[in-house]
Amino acid sequence: MKYLIDIWAVAKREAKILTVNRIYLFSMVVFPLLAMVFFTTLLDDGLPQEMPVGVVDLDNTSFSRTLVHKLDGFQSSEVVAHYASVAEARHAMQTNDIYGFLYIPAGTTDALLSSRRPTISYYYNQTSLTAGSTMMKDLKTVATLGSAGVGMAMLSAKGLTPQQIQAFLQPVKIDLHQIANPWGNYNMYLSTVFVPGIMMLFMFLISAYSLGMELKFGRGKEWLSMAHGNIVVAILGKYLPQALIFLTLISTYELYIYGVLHFPYNGDWWDIILLALLAVFASIGFGIFIFGLMPSLRMSMSICSLWGVLSFSLAGSAFPMMGMDSPLQAVTWLFPLRHYYMLYQITVFNGFSLIDAWFHFVALVAFTLMPWFVISKIKNAMLTYVYIP
């Protein structure tokens, strides 16, 4: 009972600090909420829509105009200009007026009808990976549809039935299944790792910042005295208000994406709640551990910033872990966001049992318990260290 009273006393002290210092308000509430709204609204359409594309049509026949019309009909492409030459279209692409262009040389229709296999070229800008890949898909599709249309007309003229024509043009039928995200919605798989990643970054920073401020302003001894010298009680009391705020924040995020935006989930709500708890506790534990390793406000926050930023690259959402070099694959296990992402993918997104993701669950629990290894060093720093700017 005595320990609970001490934890409550330290927690009230910490709550007062949180209300006085505006950095906590902006870092724990305002900036994470802004990031949540920014990313989910930025990708609100799911996929890029009506990206500008150009056309160089030197054939200028009904067939070439049909190709251009089909390209303009795609949801992600919009034909915004016709150019007289490849040089003009290339210059427009280099100045970012268009993301790509379709080149139909003169004599294309005649060559098709006489079975001389003409060449239709498409150029796209791969500087932006998402835009370039989407543009390439549309341009390739429209070129394929054009050649198939001519082939269908020629085979029909020879008396073949529609079934025979289809078997000739597409001997192997592709039955595509995009598991868990059949819409190919970028918002549903990018926002679910970027937004939690930003929230975890702020958790890292605030956890280290809180201890650094005690050292900076010489409040460490006062803080420990309220816990009667028990560093475990002092840590629990200090981070209780922060944990409650962060849990409220991440719960708001989950209610927003699943309840308002209707992101798909195949697991239980218990999986989502457990994932939120693990994300908050593991992030706070990691921040405390980094400060314990190097009891310096500047150094601990620098390491937390570096770790949080690298998490986005090494979590495996943008670039799969299996495609990384072996040393990088080993390093990915040191980032809490990687384990959060894998738990989300396995239990929430795909609906598998928690036992299938036991290693990632254990890893997040381990991050939560990491402060235990440096807790005596934190106490010693509060009692004996002198803050050096």
Side-chain angles (χ1 to χ4, degrees), residues 36 66 79 86 88 142 145 159 175 203 214 256 270 326 365:
M36 178 182 72
T66 300
V79 177
V86 172
E88 290 183 16
V142 76
L145 289 175
D175 189 12
M203 294 177 203
E214 299 288 357
Y256 174 61
W270 291 112
S326 297
V365 173

Side-chain angles (χ1 to χ4, degrees), residues 56 58 83-92 101-104 121 123:
V56 180
L58 302 183
Y83 301 97
S85 66
V86 172
E88 290 183 16
R90 182 182 180 88
H91 181 266
F101 65 91
L102 179 68
Y103 170 53
I104 306 174
S121 304
Y123 300 79

Side-chain angles (χ1 to χ4, degrees), residues 16-312:
K16 184 178 179 181
I17 294 174
L18 295 180
T19 56
V20 171
N21 192 338
R22 292 183 180 178
I23 290 179
Y24 290 107
L25 171 65
F26 283 95
S27 299
M28 299 175 71
V29 179
V30 177
F31 291 146
L33 288 177
L34 285 176
M36 178 182 72
V37 174
F38 172 77
F39 278 104
T40 53
T41 53
L42 176 69
L43 302 169
D44 185 49
D45 292 328
L47 290 170
Q49 304 290 321
E50 297 184 349
M51 293 185 297
V53 61
V55 172
V56 180
D57 183 8
L58 302 183
D59 194 41
N60 196 25
T61 61
S62 60
F63 168 73
S64 65
R65 289 192 290 272
T66 300
L67 283 184
V68 174
H69 182 70
K70 288 180 179 179
L71 178 61
D72 193 38
F74 288 142
Q75 189 175 8
S76 54
S77 300
E78 180 183 8
V79 177
V80 296
H82 288 72
Y83 301 97
S85 66
V86 172
E88 290 183 16
R90 182 182 180 88
H91 181 266
M93 191 170 66
Q94 290 173 334
T95 55
N96 289 324
D97 293 330
I98 55 175
Y99 281 109
F101 65 91
L102 179 68
Y103 170 53
I104 306 174
T108 298
T109 304
D110 292 339
L112 270 173
L113 294 176
S114 58
S115 302
R116 293 200 304 266
R117 298 184 64 191
T119 300
I120 295 177
S121 304
Y122 48 88
Y123 300 79
Y124 57 94
N125 190 343
Q126 196 67 4
T127 304
S128 173
L129 182 61
T130 301
S133 300
T134 305
M135 188 61 59
M136 184 272 290
K137 183 183 70 174
D138 285 357
L139 291 170
K140 183 177 180 180
T141 301
V142 76
T144 304
L145 289 175
S147 60
V150 173
M152 185 178 297
M154 294 178 63
L155 293 173
S156 178
K158 292 180 180 181
L160 274 68
T161 65
Q163 291 77 13
Q164 291 173 323
I165 294 173
Q166 186 175 10
F168 182 81
L169 294 177
Q170 191 181 21
V172 178
K173 184 178 179 180
I174 298 174
D175 189 12
L176 177 64
H177 297 274
Q178 296 184 165
I179 304 300
N181 187 4
W183 313 275
N185 191 318
Y186 280 71
N187 200 10
M188 291 179 181
Y189 78 84
L190 288 180
S191 295
T192 49
V193 66
F194 282 172
V195 176
I198 291 173
M199 290 181 178
M200 293 173 76
L201 170 61
F202 280 113
M203 294 177 203
F204 293 168
L205 292 172
I206 290 298
S207 302
Y209 176 80
S210 299
L211 292 172
M213 293 301 286
E214 299 288 357
L215 193 61
K216 178 179 180 178
F217 292 109
R219 302 194 304 247
K221 294 180 180 178
E222 172 201 341
W223 171 47
L224 287 174
S225 67
M226 293 188 68
H228 295 92
N230 190 324
I231 185 62
V232 176
V233 171
I235 290 289
L236 291 176
K238 185 171 188 61
Y239 288 98
L240 178 61
Q242 293 187 23
L244 292 176
I245 293 173
F246 283 130
L247 283 172
T248 303
L249 177 71
I250 201 167
S251 299
T252 301
Y253 157 74
E254 290 178 343
L255 287 172
Y256 174 61
I257 63 171
Y258 297 119
V260 178
L261 300 182
H262 303 292
F263 280 21
Y265 64 93
N266 297 306
D268 275 330
W269 269 99
W270 291 112
D271 296 324
I272 298 174
I273 294 171
L274 177 63
L275 192 58
L277 290 169
L278 289 173
V280 171
F281 294 150
S283 301
I284 292 176
F286 180 82
I288 298 171
F289 174 76
I290 293 300
F291 182 86
L293 281 181
M294 44 192 75
S296 164
L297 176 62
R298 180 175 57 190
M299 286 301 298
S300 60
M301 291 191 68
S302 297
I303 296 298
C304 287
S305 299
L306 175 65
W307 221 255
V309 171
L310 288 177
S311 297
F312 295 104

